[in-house]
Amino acid sequence: MIFDGDRPVVIGHRGAGSGAVHLPGAEDPVVENTVESILGAVRAGASWVEIDVTRTADDELVLRHDPTGVDGAFLVDRTAVESGLPRLADVFEALPPEVALDVDVKTILEDAVDPPARRTGALLVPLLRAEARRRPLLVTSFDPSLLLGLREELGNAVPLGLLTWVRFPLWHAVAAAAGLGMNAVGLHTGSCGIDPPDARLRPLDHNVDVAHKAGLEVLAWCPAPADAPRYAAAGVDAMVVNDVPGVIAALSSPDPDVPDPAEDAVQD
């Protein structure tokens, strides 16, 4: 198993949340995908933290969600120093080993044509191989080819999860992740049939049950605190969230009047 516990594991999205986040007790906001944001999420109660990783012109891996920097320049055209972004290797070194990480890998256009040794997945392999000995890891990506390449290089040393897009049909997502031999499937809330309702979709708890029977753990991203109990009731194993303290509070004090997720969708 990747995640333990009776309640869904709360994973901080890009650290303590997307963008610049004000955390309780902190004087200044923390910026996403930084050591400060990661540690802020842990202090807020997250047991896992999700970070985004992409590559630069000098074959470094840095923390960034987009292929461009804050100035709009493409990171593959800049060195890591020029980008001003945290290097993944430095982040691994700076974090205490008890901080569990979901490494969301962002492949780039140039991965289609650059020599295999320069591609994002190949650069990631040695870092993951070493880091898996120090801390719990999960690698997720929208790119199934990257995930299969990591499986070939790392075997079962690091669990892998397939991410799916907004409104990506769950009947494809769960089947694809299972067929690819993944350990997990990551579902955007827009795909889950709760908000907005989707009459083509079996209830979320049914989809989660099928995923579990297929050997998959299920992540949902990014439920708001008000909706988190409904995802918990549907049986998801983890939630990647922007409001760590809010979701933890919502899961700790569930509302008995939360609607049954089975009522929010019509079976086929």
Side-chain angles (χ1 to χ4, degrees):
M1 291 181 61
I2 306 169
F3 306 112
D4 297 322
D6 296 331
R7 290 198 187 105
V9 167
V10 174
I11 303 176
H13 185 220
R14 308 184 195 178
S18 176
V21 178
H22 286 270
L23 290 170
E27 184 173 340
D28 298 315
V30 293
V31 178
E32 67 174 50
N33 280 316
T34 59
V35 170
E36 294 75 18
S37 186
I38 295 166
L39 294 176
V42 173
R43 287 193 296 270
S47 55
W48 280 72
V49 180
E50 183 252 15
I51 56 175
D52 298 303
V53 173
T54 191
R55 71 177 170 105
T56 60
D58 53 345
D59 297 341
E60 293 282 1
L61 296 172
V62 295
L63 270 60
R64 179 71 175 168
H65 178 271
D66 298 331
T68 53
V70 293
D71 62 354
F74 283 92
L75 297 175
V76 75
D77 298 329
R78 295 277 183 89
T79 66
V81 170
E82 289 169 341
S83 77
L85 296 169
R87 294 169 63 246
L88 178 61
D90 295 335
V91 170
F92 277 161
E93 184 176 349
L95 293 177
E98 63 270 17
V99 177
L101 291 174
D102 169 7
V103 182
D104 181 354
V105 187
K106 306 298 189 184
T107 48
I108 59 174
L109 181 65
E110 288 74 10
D111 283 327
V113 293
D114 279 348
R118 292 198 63 197
R119 296 175 189 173
T120 306
L123 298 173
L124 191 59
V125 165
L127 291 174
L128 291 175
R129 185 174 285 127
E131 201 62 21
R133 304 186 190 107
R134 298 183 64 233
R135 73 178 74 249
L137 291 175
L138 167 67
V139 175
T140 53
S141 182
F142 293 106
D143 185 341
S145 69
L146 178 136
L147 296 169
L148 291 177
L150 292 179
R151 174 59 49 80
E152 183 175 342
E153 293 289 336
L154 298 171
N156 296 318
V158 179
L160 305 173
L162 177 68
L163 297 180
T164 61
W165 292 270
V166 180
R167 301 302 299 267
F168 191 92
L170 296 197
W171 56 89
H172 295 321
V174 173
L180 290 166
M182 296 293 103
N183 305 99
V185 60
L187 312 172
H188 190 275
T189 54
S191 300
C192 291
I194 288 179
D195 184 19
D198 188 343
R200 304 166 301 163
L201 186 66
R202 291 180 183 271
L204 181 58
D205 59 347
H206 180 91
N207 285 275
V208 171
D209 182 59
V210 171
H212 287 163
K213 288 176 179 175
L216 298 167
E217 295 184 51
V218 179
L219 295 78
W221 51 281
C222 294
D227 297 322
R230 303 172 77 185
Y231 288 88
V236 303
D237 301 287
M239 301 184 204
V240 183
V241 305
N242 287 312
D243 184 351
V244 171
V247 169
I248 289 175
L251 295 177
S252 299
S253 303
D255 184 347
D257 296 324
V258 169
D260 185 338
E263 297 176 0
D264 294 301
V266 178
Q267 293 201 23
D268 294 344

